[in-house]
Amino acid sequence: AINALKQQAARTNMQAGDASTTFITLSQAIIHEGIKSKKHPLEKRDEITRDCNVVLGELIKKAKPVITFEEIKNIATIAVEDEEIGHLIAEANEKVGKEGKIDVQESEVNGIRVEYTNGLEIDKGYIAEFMLNNPHILIVDSKLSNIKDILPILQKIADSGKNEVLLLCDGLDGNMLPTIALNKRAKYMEGKPVMEIFAVKFPAVRKPEFIEDIALITKGKVMGMATGLFPDKATLDDLGTCEKVVITSKKTTFIGGKGDVEEKITTLRNLKDTSEINKDAYDDRIARLKGQVAVIKVGAASGVDLGYLKDKIEDAIYATKGAIQEGAVRGGGVALKMIAQDLPDGILKEALQAPYNQIQENAGGNFKIEDNVFDSVKSTRIVVENSASFAGSLLTTSASIATVRIKPDQK
């Protein structure tokens, strides 16, 4: 039962971004009240399910829209327990918009700062830093091994008056690397006007999605077996382009793409609305296509401090995102306690007061929870749903399998 509780708490944390402690507190309370009930186990489960649906409906009714900067800042500040960081998170939300993405990354420099990306970014770069203006972009879904395969399109690019091309592919083999190296040498050592070839490898994670997104943004066609198009037959119309490509040693950013992504974004929104899982993956792609990404860089003196601070900021981001999506209710267990007062006598009526009572106990009793303390409806809803489901299942279980560790001297 303990392992099952841990697993469900972890699942709740993934869905809500936080609230695993509240989930455990509420689940324990529902199980405790369920054991005290004299009803048949199946009747207990039905009662929990019925009252849970009532609670979810009341949460929606009590939801307060979270729209203004101050409201978002308040949610973030309470979650992260730091007003300055709460302000940074609210600023990031404001700049990237409702469908934008906020990432948290570790930094080697102490302190917290926010960096913004205007454009699509991939976590792959080049050995040196470059900025390309209106380059031609050749997209290939496999490795490039022979320079002869791209010589025809390179000649066409040269004939058009351009001398920069970016190869987006799955890596370079054969004579590709030596040829590119010789080109660089000719330019920087001999001063010859040569075609500048830059190559960036696709990220290994979710590669097909990145290939499709880059093709959409740059208005380029993907070369490879899947499309039946190949580099040696490519025309200038098959190449992608954008206003600027910024390449660093760790990442590549595409800015000002010429493609139309709105139709794809609409499709992704519809898929997200009908999907029960991987909603965050759809959010990631929408944010990537819209070019709205903020990265909060977190640094601390020790690994322990860094881990704690990073987790708190991630929790606050989930809390603010959830509040923007579904609104907010009174925090600190107050909303659940108020809803419990209107429920019929039973398991949930008593159990829903547990989070509030636990906070009071932790604070030494008579602790006033201010009116401006809010929790997101999304996290509260997920906690109630998962707690009711877990406790209802456990209360109808007549036996469980456990592993007992026996010491050698006890055999």
Side-chain angles (χ1 to χ4, degrees), residues 93-196:
N93 266 293
E94 187 174 58
K95 288 189 178 182
V96 303
K98 185 176 181 180
E99 289 185 318
K101 179 174 174 57
I102 304 176
D103 276 333
V104 184
Q105 295 180 4
E106 296 180 4
S107 171
E108 295 179 358
V109 181
N110 283 358
I112 299 170
R113 67 186 190 280
V114 186
E115 296 178 357
Y116 297 94
T117 297
N118 295 314
L120 186 149
E121 181 179 291
I122 61 174
D123 294 328
K124 290 289 182 180
Y126 201 76
I127 194 168
E129 296 187 7
F130 296 95
M131 183 180 294
L132 313 182
N133 293 305
N134 293 301
H136 283 297
I137 302 170
L138 178 64
I139 307 170
V140 184
D141 67 0
S142 60
K143 286 186 176 182
L144 287 171
S145 302
N146 195 333
I147 191 66
K148 291 182 179 180
D149 292 337
I150 64 170
L151 279 178
I153 190 61
L154 292 180
Q155 186 60 54
K156 292 172 185 174
I157 293 171
D159 292 343
S160 72
K162 295 287 185 72
N163 68 339
E164 288 183 339
V165 60
L166 174 62
L167 307 178
L168 289 174
C169 55
D170 206 22
L172 301 178
D173 271 340
N175 62 14
M176 288 295 300
L177 277 174
T179 304
I180 292 175
L182 286 172
N183 261 29
K184 295 294 179 189
R185 185 178 183 278
K187 175 179 173 60
Y188 293 109
M189 300 293 289
E190 303 172 21
K192 293 182 179 179
V194 297
M195 176 68 66
E196 288 205 75

Side-chain angles (χ1 to χ4, degrees), residues 267-325:
T267 300
L268 291 171
R269 285 175 182 150
N270 293 335
L271 289 171
K272 174 189 169 184
D273 290 341
T274 57
S275 175
E276 295 297 325
I277 59 173
N278 293 333
K279 289 183 180 288
D280 286 345
Y282 291 116
D283 286 337
D284 289 349
R285 289 195 71 185
I286 291 170
R288 190 162 67 223
L289 288 169
K290 292 175 77 70
Q292 299 171 325
V293 180
V295 179
I296 299 178
K297 301 278 191 174
V298 183
S302 70
V304 174
D305 290 341
L306 176 61
Y308 173 78
L309 191 55
K310 187 168 177 280
D311 286 345
K312 292 294 289 184
I313 292 173
E314 287 175 343
D315 289 348
I317 291 169
Y318 269 101
T320 53
K321 187 175 181 180
I324 292 169
Q325 290 173 342

Side-chain angles (χ1 to χ4, degrees), residues 212-213 216 260-269 271 285 289:
E212 182 184 8
D213 293 346
L216 280 169
D260 184 3
V261 299
E262 289 305 317
E263 183 178 346
K264 184 64 178 180
I265 288 173
T266 300
T267 300
L268 291 171
R269 285 175 182 150
L271 289 171
R285 289 195 71 185
L289 288 169

